[in-house]
Amino acid sequence: MSEPKTADNPEGRKWKWREGEYEVIRSSARSGPGCHDNCGVLLYVKDGKLEKIEGDPENPYNQGRLCPRCLAYKEMLYHPDRLLYPMKRAREDRGKDAFKRITWDEATEIILEEMGKVIDTYGAESIWVTQGTGRDINGYGPLMARYLGTPNYGTGFLSGIACYAPRRFSTALKSGGLFIADYSQYSPLRYDDPRWKAPEYILIWGNNPVVANSDGTLGHWVVESMKRGSKLITIDPKLTWLAGKSDVFLQLRPGTDTAIAMALCNHIIENNLQDQEFCDCWCYGYDEFAEHLKPYTPEWAAEICGVDADLIKEAAVKIGKAENCCLQWGVAMDHTSEGFVTGMAAYDLMALTGNFENPGGMVDAPFAFDVNVPWSGGDDWELCTADLPNQDKKICGEWPANKAMQAISPDDLLVAMETGEPYPIKAMWMMQNNALACMGAAPQRIIKALQENMDFNVVVDLFLTPTALACADVLLPAATFAERMGIYGHQPYLLGSINQAIEPLGEVKPDQVIMYEIGKKFGRGEGMEQWQTEEEFYDFCLRKSGFTYKTLQERSWAFPEFEYEKHKKGLLRPDGQPGFNTSTGRYNFYSREMVYFGFPPFPTYEEPPESPVSAPELAEKYPLVLTTGARHWGFFHSEHRQSPSMRRLHPDPTVLIHPNTAAKYGIENGDWVKIENQFGECKQKAELSVRLREDTVAADHAWWFPERDPGDGTLFGVMESNINKLIPMRPGKSGLGASYKSQLCAISKIEE
Ligand SMILES: Nc1nc2c(c(=O)[nH]1)N[C@H]1C(S)=C(S)[C@@H](COP(=O)(O)OP(=O)(O)OC[C@H]3O[C@@H](n4cnc5c(=O)[nH]c(N)nc54)[C@H](O)[C@@H]3O)O[C@H]1N2
Ligand SMILES: Nc1nc2c(c(=O)[nH]1)N[C@H]1C(S)=C(S)[C@@H](COP(=O)(O)OP(=O)(O)OC[C@H]3O[C@@H](n4cnc5c(=O)[nH]c(N)nc54)[C@H](O)[C@@H]3O)O[C@H]1N2
Ligand code: SF4
Ligand SMILES: [Mo]
């Protein structure tokens, strides 16, 4: 194979050296514990033990910076509660602290026997293999489904697959790919690359990038762009740190984002600020789009969203006049029932202003060196979810988006677990997924289905989680990033190696190894029985790139060559023609696919199913808008509650309430508050803040209390402060989107 063309130093850099008493290993922080990023780290090891971790100043991704969770990594790695050995428990003891240590051989035998029984009785499709969010291992997760022979692989109980899938669907229909904000991350020279220009405006939308570093974007990049002149516009119900630094802050009612997006587009067109050349040459249906938008004025949106019309106009003019602008969007987009329409509308704003494939605009995010590690499908059969065994039996429901994407419907899978329709789901293989504490909506339903209806459950995790305690029959211990090898290229800008720094603790194993060692015993999956070592596995994953694991490791990372204006150069389409990789060859303002799916061709606004406007009677009882799950510095979802320093940053589950609202209900700062609605209730501690809208409360998600005794019968208190009891498992009309950030609730003080 020929040497891959790279844009950085082909000599690479050392990955291992001695510094005094330490051996230093250059690596990348990837799961576990979880994160969406892969920052460069230097791991300082003495006598086989990790002593300290520092950011790698040479790595262009994070340029030496680390956030608190990586700095506290040792607290997770060496935590006394770390799961170190395979365990088993009798089915009748589900929920009880009755695990027994077993060997990997015994675990494998039990899995073969029990999964085998399920396959024989109900068919392989009755197994659901789940993943959590974008940790690196879920790129490999489909392997397990392939070994077991089931088409049902995907996020574990994430209603409406409401994380990124809605935006991926929107972007696929609109532009034939995923285009993301350009902070120079494609270049090894970063901000010094002469081709790059800092975005004049960064539109921070339903995202808190400095805290979340979500989806492979580091919050520092926003700040670095600001140092180089970028200004901000923020759309959020809460005054975040970045909102406080914004020229315009649109503090909208949760769930109404589509209306703002439409009004921004309307005002740009009314004032002739669109990029007419881009719209005429590269877009489909511009005139009809402009016509469609006419009634949706800033005044119309102002009323719906509860923001000032003049502010919407000001934002529109700034975006319209900006030389370049990018959209830094977040999961709040996906966390309404019709979230995928929100994504479309916001994306249209970028096309309208010609911010595609320009420096500091929205640029295409292809796989680095053709290595399809992360998330989505592709032509790598073994890592792809689109053609799993028994594909025609995959439970996509009748949802147009799920069917089109060939994605499972977690909502319908839960129904299948409960009712046996369309066929029974009888076994779970859950990896990096604490569904009961975090990912799943309606945990009341999930716990019952997992404990009572499943014949067999396997959980693979770093800790004994509430989900594992509730349902695991076999519990397998996974390795964290310093204990294993790997490759990274998440939201791919560069490709790099994860280098093992220490021996795995106890008998933990990397998820990938667990999958291929146990999986191949099922005797299924041609070509997947070949790997004996991690290195062989990664050589296979890299086979199209021109690298082997060793050659990649020798240079630590590699940047592919990158260029702008790919749509003009025929670089976006497989046929080499100019344009976008869509059925029209253009960016679709008018979406023929949407019409085919039975939706309007253009984004249209719909109220969330539960809102003061759509459900006024309900709102009498539950008068406050509920948004949930805003990320915290120290926690990754349900992780890190057991890390002492991270827990000190945020010791209790908290619900943010405006002081005026709290006063109405006699609630003071620090009071325990009951939060309730028609779906359920939970309790969290009040934190009063003028940063939030008065009509909205913002509750924490993913709480459990690992300090509790696992034998106390409360599953680490997972149902006590669990805000997901107030969220239904119910997707939007496309099958995507859910109401994690747009519900109704009432609050009251809990008298102690
Ligand atoms: N530290 C940490 N980082 C994480 C995670 C974590 O748990 N901890 N989780 C990872 C995952 S899986 C994801 S998906 C990302 C998510 O990361 P983000 O996209 O940043 O998501 P959130 O923090 O949930 O919410 C972002 C902002 O949306 C606002 N918001 C709430 N409701 C609405 C609304 O209806 N409309 C608008 N416009 N804004 C709203 C919130 O106030 C918040 O400021 O973070 C990833 N990174
Ligand atoms: N109310 C509300 N609920 C939400 C959200 C919200 O905003 N509000 N956000 C939703 C979103 S966007 C998402 S993506 C989901 C996230 O949901 P999940 O990704 O399921 O996150 P967790 O529930 O924290 O589960 C992750 C588990 O994986 C384990 N783990 C970490 N690293 C590894 C590893 O390398 N290997 C293995 N085997 N295990 C590992 C952790 O210990 C943890 O128990 O939550 C959703 N839930
Ligand atoms: S974003 Fe923070 S937690 Fe994630 S890899 Fe980078 S430093 Fe570590
Ligand atoms: Mo997510």
Side-chain angles (χ1 to χ4, degrees), residues 14-15 17 24-30 38-44 50 52-59 61-67 69-71 73 481-482 488 497-499 501 556-557:
K14 269 194 299 198
W15 69 275
W17 62 91
V24 187
I25 288 96
R26 191 197 294 279
S27 191
S28 168
R30 213 50 177 97
N38 28 242
C39 293
V41 289
L42 300 177
L43 301 164
Y44 288 77
L50 181 72
K52 64 173 176 171
I53 175 168
E54 285 182 0
D56 179 358
E58 286 183 54
N59 191 315
Y61 191 90
N62 57 316
Q63 300 182 321
R65 298 166 173 96
L66 288 187
C67 64
R69 282 172 294 129
C70 259
L71 292 171
Y73 166 56
F481 67 84
Y488 66 92
S497 69
I498 296 169
N499 302 317
S556 291
W557 58 78

Side-chain angles (χ1 to χ4, degrees), residues 462-483:
L462 313 174
F463 289 93
L464 176 62
T465 63
T467 306
L469 185 55
C471 77
D473 303 316
V474 170
L475 179 54
L476 302 176
T480 65
F481 67 84
E483 299 166 286

Side-chain angles (χ1 to χ4, degrees), residues 38 105 325 489 516 585 645 743:
N38 28 242
D105 282 346
C325 173
Y516 69 68
S645 60
Q743 262 302 323

Side-chain angles (χ1 to χ4, degrees), residues 154-171:
T155 50
F157 303 93
L158 183 66
S159 183
I161 333 180
C163 179
Y164 226 41
R167 279 170 289 158
R168 287 202 83 114
F169 189 58
S170 311
T171 55

Side-chain angles (χ1 to χ4, degrees), residues 130-323:
T130 71
Q131 61 160 77
T133 185
R135 302 167 179 95
D136 69 333
I137 69 155
N138 58 31
Y140 310 104
L143 272 180
M144 199 63 223
R146 205 168 284 281
Y147 283 123
L148 290 166
T150 177
N152 292 316
Y153 174 81
T155 50
F157 303 93
L158 183 66
S159 183
I161 333 180
C163 179
Y164 226 41
R167 279 170 289 158
R168 287 202 83 114
F169 189 58
S170 311
T171 55
L173 296 188
K174 286 280 170 188
S175 65
L178 178 67
F179 292 70
I180 56 171
D182 172 27
Y183 305 102
S184 76
Q185 65 270 38
Y186 290 89
S187 167
L189 302 173
R190 292 303 314 252
Y191 314 102
D192 297 329
D193 189 318
R195 297 173 299 172
W196 183 72
K197 278 193 207 122
E200 186 177 337
Y201 273 98
I202 303 174
L203 183 51
I204 311 271
W205 201 326
N207 185 222
N208 197 359
V210 290
V211 173
N213 302 301
S214 47
D215 308 313
T217 295
L218 209 60
H220 283 292
W221 302 347
V222 176
V223 178
E224 288 304 314
S225 299
M226 287 163 73
K227 289 184 193 163
R228 289 158 178 81
S230 296
K231 293 170 281 184
L232 308 180
I233 293 169
T234 296
I235 304 182
D236 197 302
K238 185 174 75 190
L239 180 75
T240 59
W241 186 79
L242 287 173
K245 304 211 159 8
S246 297
D247 287 8
V248 185
F249 171 39
L250 301 175
Q251 191 168 20
L252 83 178
R253 166 162 67 91
T256 63
D257 298 81
T258 309
I260 291 241
M262 292 167 68
L264 288 169
C265 291
N266 165 296
H267 197 67
I268 284 171
I269 297 173
E270 285 301 311
N271 289 278
N272 207 22
L273 292 173
Q274 69 279 12
D275 182 335
Q276 199 64 51
E277 192 190 329
F278 186 84
C279 293
D280 290 344
C281 296
W282 302 106
C283 300
Y284 182 77
Y286 169 75
D287 292 339
E288 295 89 336
F289 179 56
E291 191 58 34
H292 164 74
L293 285 171
K294 278 205 172 128
Y296 305 117
T297 59
E299 285 74 16
W300 165 81
E303 175 116 354
I304 293 171
C305 308
V307 294
D308 190 336
D310 286 341
L311 282 180
I312 302 179
K313 290 180 189 170
E314 192 183 335
V317 170
K318 286 187 152 69
I319 296 165
K321 288 193 172 162
E323 190 195 338

Side-chain angles (χ1 to χ4, degrees), residues 395-699:
I395 297 190
C396 306
E398 287 307 310
W399 309 106
N402 303 60
K403 283 187 66 190
M405 294 172 85
Q406 282 297 297
I408 57 158
S409 163
D411 303 85
D412 283 43
L413 274 152
L414 176 57
V415 172
M417 290 165 78
E418 292 171 331
T419 64
E421 296 296 332
Y423 56 78
I425 293 294
K426 281 293 179 190
M428 302 293 296
W429 180 288
M430 304 177 84
M431 292 178 285
Q432 41 129 13
N433 182 207
N434 189 359
L436 214 49
C438 177
M439 197 173 232
Q444 309 92 316
R445 287 174 59 194
I446 296 170
I447 190 172
K448 215 165 168 282
L450 284 173
Q451 283 191 324
E452 294 172 17
N453 298 3
M454 294 301 97
D455 285 0
F456 186 55
N457 297 312
V458 179
V459 176
V460 191
D461 207 295
L462 313 174
F463 289 93
L464 176 62
T465 63
T467 306
L469 185 55
C471 77
D473 303 316
V474 170
L475 179 54
L476 302 176
T480 65
F481 67 84
E483 299 166 286
R484 65 173 172 88
M485 295 163 53
I487 51 177
Y488 66 92
H490 178 109
Q491 281 230 336
Y493 321 113
L494 70 169
L495 189 64
S497 69
I498 296 169
N499 302 317
Q500 187 177 345
I502 54 169
E503 285 304 309
L505 269 57
E507 292 178 9
V508 304
K509 288 189 186 190
D511 291 86
Q512 289 76 293
V513 174
I514 296 174
M515 284 190 265
Y516 69 68
E517 281 187 355
I518 297 179
K520 63 186 163 194
K521 299 258 162 61
F522 283 88
R524 209 181 269 108
E526 220 178 296
M528 300 189 305
E529 66 287 358
Q530 57 188 317
W531 309 300
Q532 303 297 330
T533 64
E534 280 182 276
E535 191 174 330
E536 282 177 13
F537 177 75
Y538 293 114
D539 282 349
F540 177 82
C541 296
L542 288 166
R543 69 196 178 285
K544 288 193 209 157
S545 69
F547 292 104
T548 61
Y549 178 76
K550 272 265 153 54
T551 60
L552 186 61
Q553 187 182 48
E554 273 161 22
R555 51 177 302 156
S556 291
W557 58 78
F559 277 82
E561 291 188 325
F562 172 77
E563 45 192 315
Y564 291 108
E565 301 201 314
K566 292 187 276 297
H567 61 303
K568 294 186 180 167
K569 302 171 183 165
L571 296 173
L572 295 177
R573 296 175 56 86
D575 60 10
Q577 293 295 313
F580 289 84
N581 190 20
T582 58
S583 60
T584 59
R586 295 174 181 230
Y587 179 94
N588 289 319
F589 283 126
Y590 183 103
S591 169
R592 301 192 294 197
E593 287 80 5
M594 285 289 277
V595 177
Y596 173 78
F597 295 137
F599 291 95
F602 304 110
T604 45
Y605 176 65
E606 230 177 276
E607 275 290 321
E610 292 90 10
S611 90
V613 178
S614 65
E617 275 172 30
L618 202 61
E620 271 176 35
K621 212 163 162 205
Y622 307 113
L624 294 165
V625 179
L626 172 68
T627 176
T628 71
R631 296 347 184 201
H632 295 295
W633 300 100
F635 301 145
F636 198 77
H637 291 296
S638 70
E639 294 187 72
H640 301 95
R641 297 299 185 292
Q642 57 281 79
S643 159
S645 60
M646 295 302 96
R647 186 69 177 272
R648 267 201 304 279
L649 293 176
H650 195 90
D652 301 303
T654 50
V655 53
L656 211 61
I657 311 171
H658 193 283
N660 295 348
T661 312
K664 242 201 244 171
Y665 299 100
I667 293 167
E668 288 176 20
N669 203 35
D671 282 347
W672 281 97
V673 172
K674 179 161 90 170
I675 316 169
E676 64 186 314
N677 68 10
Q678 70 277 27
F679 301 110
E681 62 174 64
C682 75
K683 63 169 190 177
Q684 301 197 355
K685 230 175 179 173
E687 183 184 331
L688 306 197
S689 172
V690 292
R691 294 190 297 135
L692 192 66
R693 283 173 63 95
E694 283 191 34
D695 61 359
T696 299
V697 298

